[in-house]
Amino acid sequence: MEAPQYVAARVQGALAEDERTNELGIRVDVRGEQLFLRGQVSCEERRELIADVASEAAPGLVVRNELTVVDVRTPEEEEKL
Amino acid sequence: MSLRIAAVGDVHLGTDMGGRYRSHLTGIEEKADVLLLAGDLTRHGTLEEGEVVVEEFRDLPIPVIAVLGNHDHHSDKPAEIAAMMREAGIAVLHDDAVVLDVNGERLGVVGGKGFGGGFAGKCASEFGEPEIKAFVNHTKRIADRWRTALKELEADRRVVLSHYSPVNDTLAGEPPEIYPFLGSYLLAEAIDAEGADLILHGHAHMGTEKGVTPAGIRVRNVALPVLGRAYGVYCLNGDGRC
Ligand SMILES: [Fe+2]
Ligand SMILES: [Fe+2]
């Protein structure tokens, strides 16, 4: 069986290099049969696309999609320097 | 006079995202005097995405100054994207400077993409294979150009705009193993030598907003996921009022 670290690295590489995602900042952890995705993305569609690309790169694992969508607020405060 | 600088990086606009970010820019002129974009404006750096960036940031009521990021280089079209943006009135820095008159004060902005290499004591050096030397040399050349641009800059306020980070403070939250790919202390060293009022960068999506250089210049990581708001606003003035 392939060591989980190599699986995680392959998924991370796929997320960065796949034209559909090109996401560099996603944390990928493999624990047993589960693959965890963590980090922040810009919208719901990307959140799902990333899970799709990850599951293609690691078939057979259950993808736990813990990515959160960044909620862009309108700025209220300013910082005085 | 107060000088209010709005800044954001890593908006990563795709072709399916036209208009989505622009909606947050309504009324920006009430909050800020200038908008700085800290790179990674696109996802893949294609001309189609460059067009989305142009439409998103053109014809704002305040001046817009940008640098590109690594994603904007992915399709080997950074010069073309920069040209499209300039055509639309957006200044794009490439290791050089621009000076604007804002409320009667000269705001000088120096910068460019920047690059990696790591931080003092834990960094790559120009030794060994040509690939490693080329990597380190790229950052060194950039730092030298910033140093020259800052030395020659004639302005009342000095801001450095980068994509990569000059310090590791603002990387807190990122895995330490990838710090060398997130920035380089050579950038901070050059800026510290010539002086600036504020440094803005992006790239480290999981980092932290606030940091400082060894010489005490404030650094702000304005990557959109870090800010969690459409842009940060930083008010520069001597008397502590805005
Ligand atoms: Fe980015
Ligand atoms: Fe980046």
Side-chain angles (χ1 to χ4, degrees):
Chain A
M1 204 190 95
E2 193 179 8
Q5 289 89 337
Y6 296 134
V7 179
R10 190 171 69 238
V11 171
Q12 207 144 34
L15 293 176
E17 290 164 18
D18 193 299
E19 285 294 308
R20 291 170 293 168
T21 49
N22 286 137
E23 282 285 349
L24 302 177
I26 305 297
R27 189 165 161 187
V28 181
D29 289 296
V30 175
R31 297 283 183 276
E33 298 302 302
Q34 307 182 91
L35 184 145
F36 293 88
L37 297 171
R38 273 171 252 160
Q40 292 190 306
V41 295
S42 55
C43 60
E44 187 55 40
E45 294 89 314
R46 291 205 64 78
R47 191 176 166 273
E48 282 160 24
L49 198 52
I50 288 164
D52 291 346
V53 171
S55 92
E56 284 170 28
L61 294 187
V62 180
V63 176
R64 302 288 182 207
N65 190 348
E66 298 182 357
L67 297 167
T68 48
V69 176
V70 192
D71 185 24
V72 178
R73 290 182 293 112
T74 298
E76 306 294 342
E77 70 286 4
E78 60 184 20
E79 186 189 1
K80 294 173 175 61
L81 296 173
Chain B
M1 280 302 281
S2 74
L3 181 54
R4 300 163 305 166
I5 296 166
V8 65
D10 303 85
V11 291
H12 287 288
L13 299 175
T15 47
D16 56 341
M17 290 171 74
R20 216 182 285 195
Y21 185 80
R22 177 105 187 174
S23 62
H24 296 290
L25 295 172
T26 312
I28 190 172
E29 70 277 15
E30 260 120 63
K31 298 182 176 123
D33 302 300
V34 60
L35 172 62
L36 305 190
L37 303 176
D40 274 4
L41 309 177
T42 67
R43 294 215 147 269
H44 317 98
T46 61
L47 297 182
E48 292 74 22
E49 290 178 343
E51 196 53 54
V52 176
V53 171
V54 165
E55 292 307 317
E56 218 73 0
F57 293 104
R58 75 182 308 158
D59 302 324
L60 286 180
I62 56 173
V64 181
I65 303 170
V67 298
L68 299 183
N70 54 319
H71 281 250
D72 309 319
H73 279 71
H74 183 66
S75 301
D76 295 324
K77 297 266 184 292
E80 289 86 342
I81 292 173
M84 285 159 58
M85 293 171 68
R86 290 189 187 110
E87 188 97 347
I90 300 166
V92 183
L93 295 175
H94 183 60
D95 304 331
D96 50 4
V98 65
V99 180
L100 296 179
D101 190 304
V102 182
N103 304 330
E105 267 199 293
R106 288 168 307 164
L107 167 66
V109 183
V110 165
K113 174 180 68 68
F115 200 47
F119 298 89
K122 304 172 183 67
C123 57
S125 50
E126 253 181 303
F127 178 85
E129 304 91 318
E131 288 83 358
I132 287 283
K133 287 180 190 152
F135 181 89
V136 176
N137 212 330
H138 183 53
T139 313
K140 278 194 174 163
R141 279 207 315 273
I142 288 168
D144 284 345
R145 287 199 211 113
W146 291 10
R147 195 187 288 250
T148 306
L150 282 166
K151 196 191 288 285
E152 292 169 355
L153 187 69
E154 289 184 24
D156 304 306
R157 299 282 170 192
R158 300 153 67 87
V159 174
V160 175
L161 179 62
S162 175
H163 181 59
Y164 285 79
S165 180
V167 296
N168 55 16
D169 301 21
T170 48
L171 304 183
E174 295 280 359
E177 295 87 346
I178 67 166
Y179 279 17
F181 301 105
L182 298 179
S184 166
Y185 82 99
L186 295 172
L187 304 173
E189 188 180 44
I191 303 163
D192 274 344
E194 298 300 330
D197 298 297
L198 174 65
I199 303 171
L200 300 163
H201 74 86
H203 191 50
H205 293 203
M206 293 193 277
T208 303
E209 185 181 353
K210 297 175 184 180
V212 67
T213 66
I217 300 171
R218 254 80 64 93
V219 181
R220 295 294 178 264
N221 176 356
V222 295
L224 185 59
V226 170
L227 290 179
R229 53 194 193 276
Y231 47 84
V233 181
Y234 306 98
C235 186
L236 293 183
N237 66 344
D239 61 9
R241 294 188 1 230
C242 264

